[in-house]
């Protein structure tokens, strides 16, 4: 049994804890750390397996009863918590992004690289869970069949209903960072360029926030992304992807189902009630990610789909290209 500690028990930390309890039989959550004692106590009561409740991430990291730790604290704390993780020698799954500045991302990625070289194995994974999403994996399989021809471009939508206190650059570094990662994974190519363009600003977005945002990105293999990111879309959580190939369109809909239009047959994605956030749509991805992590820890066999520190750094570097493009 893998004994897991979680740092940060907010929306995502509580989500990971619940998914482990319900879907990862090889693991159980034994320790929680958060500065919000009530959140820790409430989640511990719900889980029934927690032996350590603390407001100190270092205490959790150093607890000999904990084998593996998920870092789900706010973005600006990831670097400090990753450094604690390196010192602890435990298996770590850290939520995206690796850091909030490029300088920090480069520094911590190098520290992780040096550490993993020294211990001779990969110890730290990053939570780019779309790599485990059934929809993206199905699209990857469909492309590989060759039946639809070569992929040409991607049209994507990423619209939240409420992104809290996100900043204008956060639309690139916190939200679209998933896209910067997933398309280089899907198309096995690196970003050549990323550019942001602002359409009309929504009067319903918080004052001073540049929202929504259009992103145009080009991979070195020519596949081009056109995406809108809307932090305060408000009408419902809406993420969709269309991969346009020479002979067909492969679409991941709002509910994660894949529809194909080819041979003059139009596929249609499911409609219906929309969610308010990402948790339900990506639930299968989070569960598959956590199961894969437990399997990797248990067997020692590296899962090539996990994002490494290097992948996480590249995602930050790609987001930075976008931020720079709108700061000129
Ligand atoms: N992979 C994904 O799809 C996905 C989705 C949502 C969020 N995230 C990431 O997960 C992380 C958490 O996001 P969230 O939405 O759960 O945020 P949240 O604000 O709901 O939760 C963050 C928690 O961290 C706690 N915290 C603050 N300072 C702390 C400290 N010093 N030590 C310990 N805990 C501390 C807060 O009290 C809060 O409970 C972020 O990095 C975010 O980018 C990833």
């Amino acid at each position: 049994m893998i004994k897991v500690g979680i740092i940060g028990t907010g929306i995502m930390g509580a989500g990971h804890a619940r998914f482990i309890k319900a879907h990862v039989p090889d693991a159980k959550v034994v320790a929680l750390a958060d500065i919000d004692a009530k959140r820790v106590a409430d989640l511990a009561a719900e889980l029934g397996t927690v032996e350590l409740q603390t407001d100190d991430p270092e205490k959790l990291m150093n607890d000999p009863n904990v084998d593996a730790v998920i870092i789900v604290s706010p973005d600006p704390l990831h670097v400090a918590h990753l450094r604690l993780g390196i010192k602890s020698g435990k298996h770590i799954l850290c939520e995206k992004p690796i850091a909030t500045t490029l300088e920090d991302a480069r520094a911590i990625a190098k520290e992780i690289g040096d550490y993993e070289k020294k211990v001779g194995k990969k110890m730290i994974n990053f939570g780019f869970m779309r790599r485990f999403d059934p929809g993206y994996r199905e699209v990857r399989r469909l492309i590989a069949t060759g039946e639809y021809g070569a992929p040409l471009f991607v049209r994507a939508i990423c619209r939240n209903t409420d992104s809290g206190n996100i900043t204008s650059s956060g639309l690139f570094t916190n939200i679209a960072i998933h896209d910067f990662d997933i398309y280089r994974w899907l198309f096995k190519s690196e970003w050549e360029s990323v550019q942001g363009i602002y359409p009309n600003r929504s009067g319903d977005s918080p004052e001073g926030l540049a929202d929504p945002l259009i992103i145009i990105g080009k991979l070195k293999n020519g596949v081009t992304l056109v995406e809108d990111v809307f932090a305060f879309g408000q009408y419902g959580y809406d993420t969709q992807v269309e991969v346009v190939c020479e002979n067909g369109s492969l679409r991941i809909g709002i509910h994660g189902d894949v529809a194909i239009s080819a041979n003059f047959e139009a596929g249609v994605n499911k409609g219906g009630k929309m969610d308010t956030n990402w948790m339900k749509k990506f639930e299968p991805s989070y569960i598959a990610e956590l199961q894969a992590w437990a399997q990797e820890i248990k067997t020692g066999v590296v899962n090539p789909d996990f994002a490494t520190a290097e992948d996480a750094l590249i995602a930050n570097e790609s987001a930075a290209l976008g931020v720079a493009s709108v700061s000129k």
Side-chain angles (χ1 to χ4, degrees), residues 204-224:
D204 289 335
S205 297
E207 222 182 295
L209 185 72
D211 182 44
L213 160 73
I214 311 283
I215 294 174
I216 299 177
K218 189 165 188 180
L219 291 163
K220 287 185 177 157
N221 69 0
V223 174
T224 299

Side-chain angles (χ1 to χ4, degrees), residues 10-12 34 39 72-75 78 95-96 129 278 286:
I11 301 175
M12 202 59 244
D34 198 303
R39 278 195 182 161
V72 212
S73 48
D75 297 359
H78 291 180
E95 268 304 342
K96 43 55 64 173
M129 79 302 175
W278 58 88
Y286 297 123

Side-chain angles (χ1 to χ4, degrees), residues 6-14 16 33-36 39 54-57 71-78 81 95-97 127-130 173-174 178 237 278-279 282 286 289:
I6 297 182
I7 299 176
T9 57
I11 301 175
M12 202 59 244
H16 283 309
D34 198 303
I35 51 169
D36 186 329
R39 278 195 182 161
T54 178
D55 63 357
D56 181 1
I71 298 172
V72 212
S73 48
D75 297 359
L77 300 179
H78 291 180
H81 293 157
E95 268 304 342
K96 43 55 64 173
F128 288 98
M129 79 302 175
R130 291 190 193 179
T173 60
N174 181 282
H178 279 295
Y237 180 69
W278 58 88
M279 200 59 102
F282 288 107
Y286 297 123
E289 173 187 66

Side-chain angles (χ1 to χ4, degrees), residues 85-115:
I86 291 174
K87 261 205 243 162
S88 76
K90 297 186 200 301
H91 296 276
I92 306 291
L93 175 61
C94 179
E95 268 304 342
K96 43 55 64 173
I98 187 170
T100 50
T101 68
L102 253 192
E103 198 185 4
D104 282 351
R106 287 186 175 132
I108 189 69
K110 177 164 185 339
E111 287 167 45
I112 293 170
D114 291 348
Y115 158 65

